Structures are given as C-alpha cells and as structure tokens.
Amino acid sequence: ETKFVEFYIDYAKTILTYDFVRILVFSGLSDKIFSDRFFKLLQTKILPLLIFETRKYCKVPVQQDTSEKEMELLLGLHGGIFYLGVRRWIYGASFQLETNQMSDEEIIQDRIASYLLSAQHLFKKEKKHE
C-alpha cells in the first residue's frame, strides 16, 4: 500500500498540472497524438507494474494474464486520481466544503485503500470460480 501511495502522490504532483491536464484532454479531443503516446506509455510501462504490485499485495500469482476486470479496477483508480486534475483544471470545480478541504494526498490514500480492498475482493471471487 505504501508503494502505491508514494507512486500516486509523486504521479499526481507530476501529471496533475494545469498544462499537462489541459494538453492531454485537448489532444484526446483533437488529433490524439499526445494522448495516444501517453496512453501507450501507461499501457506498456506503468500499468503492468501496478498490476504486478497489486498481485503481490493480494498474495496471488504474479505471472498470470491480466483479466479485464483486474485492468478495469486499476483504470478506475488511475482515472479517479487523474480526475482530480480534470475537476481542478478543466471544470474549475471543487466538491469539498470550504472549511474542510482534503488534500490530494488524503484523497489519493483513500482511493488506494479502496482499490486494494476491491482487488482483494476480486481475487477472492475469482478463486471461488476456479
């Protein structure tokens, strides 16, 4: 869990900038050159490592093929974290109370805890069906 938190806090500080979020979204809506390259990097370099670490955390074999459910679960986490930047830099919206603003770090920690609980549940369900 600590690895995920450290990775995503660093990722958020790097990726969730005004320029990056807006360029990625604009690219996705227009020529897709930048967004396609970014998603290829995610697909080949980052997501496989996160799947590997998720399996280690859940104590399941790390060498098996990635299931669609497993990938969708991870993309939910990843997209949820990116959405912090979309809310901030595309919509200019905050859904937090003025008096009690959660930090990005707190939100990321909560999302990771939820993701890892969901991953454990997913692997338990898959094991029952074998």
Side-chain angles (χ1 to χ4, degrees):
E1 187 169 357
T2 302
K3 285 182 178 182
F4 273 89
V5 170
E6 288 173 357
F7 169 77
Y8 272 112
I9 287 174
D10 186 52
Y11 179 85
K13 287 177 183 173
T14 304
I15 299 297
L16 300 185
T17 65
Y18 176 86
D19 290 335
F20 187 88
V21 170
R22 293 179 66 84
I23 288 168
L24 184 64
V25 170
F26 181 75
S27 175
L29 293 170
S30 59
D31 62 17
K32 296 188 179 10
I33 293 170
F34 181 77
S35 58
D36 283 354
R37 284 188 7 204
F38 179 71
F39 289 120
K40 180 86 168 162
L41 174 70
L42 279 178
Q43 187 177 20
T44 60
K45 303 288 184 193
I46 296 172
L47 298 178
L49 292 174
L50 295 171
I51 292 287
F52 179 84
E53 291 299 330
T54 302
R55 290 175 178 174
K56 278 181 34 183
Y57 179 86
C58 293
K59 297 177 177 61
V60 298
V62 296
Q63 303 305 334
Q64 65 193 28
D65 290 338
T66 303
S67 72
E68 188 173 350
K69 282 187 177 189
E70 189 179 9
M71 183 57 74
E72 285 299 325
L73 188 63
L74 177 58
L75 290 172
L77 168 66
H78 200 81
I81 291 171
F82 185 76
Y83 190 66
L84 294 172
V86 171
R87 283 192 339 221
R88 184 175 297 133
W89 304 121
I90 303 296
Y91 300 131
S94 174
F95 295 96
Q96 299 173 359
L97 301 174
E98 293 286 327
T99 57
N100 190 22
Q101 295 250 331
M102 290 178 68
S103 69
D104 286 353
E105 289 82 7
E106 290 174 293
I107 295 168
I108 289 168
Q109 287 173 342
D110 288 348
R111 289 196 177 162
I112 289 167
S114 178
Y115 164 75
L116 292 172
L117 284 171
S118 296
Q120 288 174 326
H121 177 74
L122 174 67
F123 287 122
K124 284 180 187 172
K125 265 178 71 173
E126 287 180 352
K127 195 171 192 172
K128 285 181 184 178
H129 292 214
E130 288 178 351

